[in-house]
């Protein structure tokens, strides 16, 4: 219980930092969207619509989810876009407030806080002292790339990548079913948070994996666990990935 309380307190501190770093967003949480350095508000407005679409489809049991009314008359048009299906988690807040801006901005602030929290835990795994790890988490949370693109909601969540690294490090120390499953799940999480991040990770992930696993790669059991992890990730990603591949074949993109 103490560990859970400590992690919640730490997450709360990073949430406060996120509010401060994006000020005055919190003061206008229901009437404004962050734009970053983009010259026009097209992207944040479209991403806000995407949050609404995910919440709407979640409430309708995902009926005609991919047939979003965005590129008429194309079928499965939503697969052309970054779907961000996990933004449907804002449905209770959207239903309670009826305010899309509140739901959108809350998701953004929570993503920033989780970035800082994850950055702290990565630093601790590397043996960094607690207070320095907290500073490292703050640096991750306020990383210039994310703030330059603050209007691009899907680029904000870095915590999926950081969580993937933690799972990979744990798996490398002692390959097991538990960490193989969490490794596959964390890659799927990264994919559902931002398809781009998962795509960019795919070709480079083997490099740190080989470095961390080292001689354990000589064991057949390790490869079996890695195969299991990959199968789990593919299975979890299948509903979205199938639609994207289907649209890619249909329109040759």
């Amino acid at each position: 219980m103490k560990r859970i309380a400590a992690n919640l307190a730490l997450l709360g501190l990073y949430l406060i930092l996120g509010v401060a770093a994006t000020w005055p967003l919190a003061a206008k949480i229901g009437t404004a969207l962050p734009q970053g350095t983009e010259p026009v508000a097209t992207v944040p407005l479209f991403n806000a619509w995407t949050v609404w679409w995910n919440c709407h489809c979640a409430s309708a049991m995902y009926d005609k989810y991919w047939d979003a009314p965005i590129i008429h008359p194309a079928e499965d048009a939503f697969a052309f876009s970054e779907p961000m299906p996990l933004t449907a988690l804002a449905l209770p807040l959207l239903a309670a407030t009826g305010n899309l801006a509140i739901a959108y901005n809350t998701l953004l602030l929570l993503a920033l806080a989780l970035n800082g929290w994850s950055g702290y835990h990565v630093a601790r795994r590397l043996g960094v002292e607690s207070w320095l790890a907290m500073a490292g988490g703050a640096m991750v949370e306020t990383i210039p790339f994310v703030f330059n693109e603050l209007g691009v909601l899907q680029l904000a969540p870095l915590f999926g990548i950081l969580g993937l690294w933690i799972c990979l490090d744990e798996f490398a120390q002692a390959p097991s079913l538990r960490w193989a499953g969490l490794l596959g799940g964390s890659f799927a999480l990264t994919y559902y948070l931002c398809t781009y991040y998962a795509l960019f990770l795919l070709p480079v992930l083997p490099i740190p994996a080989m470095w961390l696993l080292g001689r354990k790669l000589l064991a057949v059991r390790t490869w079996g666990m890695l195969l299991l992890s990959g199968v789990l990730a593919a299975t979890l990603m299948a509903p979205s990935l199938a639609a994207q591949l289907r649209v890619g074949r249909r329109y040759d993109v």
Side-chain angles (χ1 to χ4, degrees):
M1 290 299 293
K2 288 184 178 179
R3 185 176 181 180
I4 294 174
N7 273 294
L8 288 175
L10 186 64
L11 185 61
L13 286 175
Y14 285 123
L15 185 57
I16 293 170
L17 174 60
V19 169
T22 58
W23 191 263
L25 178 62
K28 302 178 180 180
I29 195 168
T31 58
L33 297 176
Q35 193 169 315
T37 57
E38 299 85 13
V40 293
T42 304
V43 174
L45 287 171
F46 179 68
N47 281 338
W49 178 88
T50 300
V51 172
W52 173 83
W53 179 252
N54 277 294
C55 291
H56 165 74
C57 290
S59 66
M61 302 301 292
Y62 292 95
D63 181 43
K64 298 182 179 179
Y65 177 66
W66 295 107
D67 292 325
I70 53 176
I71 307 177
H72 181 77
E75 297 179 359
D76 294 328
F78 199 39
F80 285 114
S81 180
E82 175 71 64
M84 296 186 287
L86 294 183
T87 58
L89 293 172
L91 175 58
L93 183 59
L94 180 58
T97 64
N99 190 311
L100 181 56
I102 291 176
Y104 179 100
N105 290 324
T106 300
L107 286 173
L108 174 63
L109 291 171
L110 184 58
L112 294 177
L114 285 169
N115 288 350
W117 182 83
S118 301
Y120 166 85
H121 283 286
V122 168
R124 290 293 287 158
R125 288 195 64 79
L126 294 172
V128 177
E129 292 292 336
S130 183
W131 68 275
L132 283 174
M134 290 181 67
M139 293 174 68
V140 171
E141 181 170 0
T142 56
I143 192 168
F145 168 74
V146 170
F147 275 75
N148 284 340
E149 307 291 336
L150 205 59
V152 189
L153 181 62
Q154 60 266 38
L155 297 182
L158 303 177
F159 58 88
I161 301 171
L162 297 171
L164 176 65
W165 187 90
I166 291 173
C167 291
L168 178 59
D169 187 46
E170 285 282 1
F171 178 82
Q173 291 186 31
S176 66
L177 283 173
R178 177 193 177 192
W179 287 108
L182 289 172
L183 180 60
S186 62
F187 186 86
L189 173 65
T190 302
Y191 168 78
Y192 279 119
L193 289 168
C194 179
T195 305
Y196 298 110
Y197 284 160
L199 183 63
F200 297 154
L201 268 175
L202 199 57
V204 300
L205 193 57
I207 298 172
M210 288 188 292
W211 179 68
L212 288 170
L213 285 163
R215 294 181 61 84
K216 292 186 178 70
L217 286 172
L218 300 175
V220 174
R221 183 174 182 272
T222 300
W223 286 101
M225 295 288 181
L226 287 172
L227 178 61
L228 176 64
S229 184
V231 169
L232 177 61
T235 301
L236 292 172
M237 293 159 51
S240 181
L241 189 59
Q244 292 172 330
L245 292 174
R246 183 169 66 247
V247 165
R249 288 193 298 269
R250 183 183 299 154
Y251 298 102
D252 194 25
V253 295

